[in-house]
Amino acid sequence: CSGYELAGTARADLDPHYDAVESFLGIAPTPDAVQGPRNLLFKQGCDALGYSSEPIARNVRGCRGSGECFTGCRARAKQSMDLSYVPAAIRAGARVLTSVQVQQIEVAGGRAVGVVGRVVEPFSGRPGAHFRVGAKQVVLAAGCMATPVLLQHSGELANRSGQVGRNLQFHPGVAVMGVFPEAIDPWFGATQGYQSHQFLREGFKLETLWAPPGVLAVRLPGLGAELKQSLAELPRAAIWDAIGSCHRSLGQVRARRGSLDPVLTWHFHPDDVRVLQQALHVLTELFFAAGAEKVLPGVHGIPHELHSLQEAEVLRTRRLR
């Protein structure tokens, strides 16, 4: 960090802040009581192959293992912004303005002095009155999609280098579904309850996953009766995934002409494709080691179902794009 003239960013400097965030959000390892068979089978597969594994530390309080982290926790256990930081900000005296869209950062004398935009109708996005908020300091925290678009709409505030929106990096993931001989009721259990760091040096981490059937159906093979049969197998199914570092793959975000909508381009580097291909094979090995009768890799050009490690060799030998 010294080469970038950044102070206070060494591990020793950051650890107290990480500790404070973990305490505030209730981050702790997922307990066995809310793991469920879907997650514990992952541990069983790791143990059988000699891979390290551990419960994932999550920002929850009072988790019931409902597996709804992606779609909204009905138990309000997930410590999302609406339950954690926004109420804390209000308690500290902040005013929260909802249904407004910042469209530009206001600049005077080469520094940000406020934001301007429109009031928008919830859900429809229909624009209403204009607004302006002046400020001594402006913190822009609009994510990797909207932040560069706003900067590009705000003149020379932060883009003399022309690098705003460039060098976008993601941590893409691949997921495999395994089907077991007996029902495992996968809708019970923490969405992401177990993980393995065994392959971090190879460029990916392994973890458990779950999603609503409507989301899973998108990646299931077949139509009509075949799709119906695949959905009928969900009570016996589990989803495990791998997240890749993919630091060689770069993209760009730019503003769509006449709009705040971002245009995203991103290019998969061939070396990163190979990392995720290895991860697919490891996930398949884990499923068979845990007792799955078949896996659904969900990869174009690969058979819809694989029934043995021998059949799964195609995940190592086939050239994927």
Side-chain angles (χ1 to χ4, degrees):
C1 292
S2 59
Y4 297 97
E5 299 182 1
L6 296 175
T9 56
R11 181 63 186 261
D13 301 313
L14 294 175
D15 270 346
H17 301 288
Y18 289 135
D19 292 342
V21 170
E22 287 187 356
S23 175
F24 178 75
L25 292 176
I27 296 175
T30 304
D32 285 349
V34 294
Q35 288 286 3
R38 166 173 43 82
N39 294 325
L40 296 179
L41 280 167
F42 175 88
K43 178 184 185 302
Q44 182 177 317
C46 288
D47 290 346
L49 295 174
Y51 298 158
S52 62
S53 66
E54 61 188 12
I56 294 179
R58 302 179 304 140
N59 55 320
V60 297
R61 297 185 189 275
C63 174
R64 300 177 186 176
S66 58
E68 298 174 310
C69 300
F70 285 177
T71 50
C73 178
R74 71 182 71 191
R76 295 173 68 81
K78 182 178 179 179
Q79 298 300 290
S80 46
M81 293 289 288
D82 57 320
L83 298 179
S84 54
Y85 281 104
V86 171
I90 293 173
R91 291 193 300 269
R95 285 195 300 164
V96 178
L97 307 181
T98 64
S99 300
V100 296
Q101 181 188 65
V102 173
Q103 298 177 331
Q104 192 173 7
I105 304 163
E106 199 170 49
V107 181
R111 63 183 298 270
V113 295
V115 295
V116 295
R118 298 284 291 270
V119 177
V120 295
E121 185 177 86
F123 303 110
S124 73
R126 186 179 296 114
H130 292 270
F131 77 91
R132 176 188 179 276
V133 177
K136 293 180 180 179
Q137 285 89 27
V138 175
V139 177
L140 181 56
C144 64
M145 296 289 103
T147 295
V149 168
L150 281 170
L151 290 174
Q152 291 164 4
H153 273 268
S154 303
E156 295 299 317
L157 175 65
N159 198 23
R160 291 179 182 175
S161 66
Q163 292 298 305
V164 168
R166 296 182 178 274
N167 299 308
L168 176 68
Q169 291 185 297
F170 286 129
H171 296 297
V174 289
V176 171
M177 176 184 286
V179 179
F180 290 84
E182 305 294 336
I184 61 173
D185 298 330
W187 30 81
F188 173 74
T191 300
Q192 292 161 292
Y194 241 89
Q195 66 183 4
S196 171
H197 291 163
Q198 181 74 30
F199 295 91
L200 283 186
R201 292 189 179 275
E202 282 83 351
F204 60 93
K205 67 166 286 193
L206 305 169
E207 60 186 25
T208 60
L209 189 65
W210 189 245
V215 175
L216 299 179
V218 175
R219 65 188 312 278
L220 292 176
L223 299 171
E226 184 181 359
L227 177 58
K228 184 178 179 180
Q229 178 59 38
S230 294
L231 289 169
E233 292 178 338
L234 286 183
R236 299 190 288 122
I239 300 284
W240 301 338
D241 72 281
I243 308 298
S245 62
C246 295
H247 58 277
R248 291 161 290 229
S249 300
L250 301 176
Q252 180 179 358
V253 180
R254 57 183 175 84
R256 190 181 302 276
R257 186 184 299 274
S259 169
L260 287 173
D261 293 335
V263 176
L264 166 66
T265 55
W266 193 72
H267 302 284
F268 236 140
H269 192 282
D271 291 347
D272 289 335
V273 173
R274 285 189 282 272
V275 168
L276 293 185
Q277 184 168 358
Q278 179 191 358
L280 283 167
H281 189 266
V282 170
L283 287 169
T284 303
E285 283 185 310
L286 277 175
F287 269 117
F288 286 126
E293 63 181 20
K294 64 179 178 180
V295 299
L296 285 69
V299 180
H300 180 68
I302 300 295
H304 292 329
E305 296 182 355
L306 303 172
H307 298 87
S308 66
L309 277 177
Q310 184 177 1
E311 290 184 9
E313 274 298 300
V314 67
L315 288 171
R316 294 206 300 184
T317 58
R318 183 73 55 86
R319 183 180 179 185
L320 301 182
R321 296 188 295 114

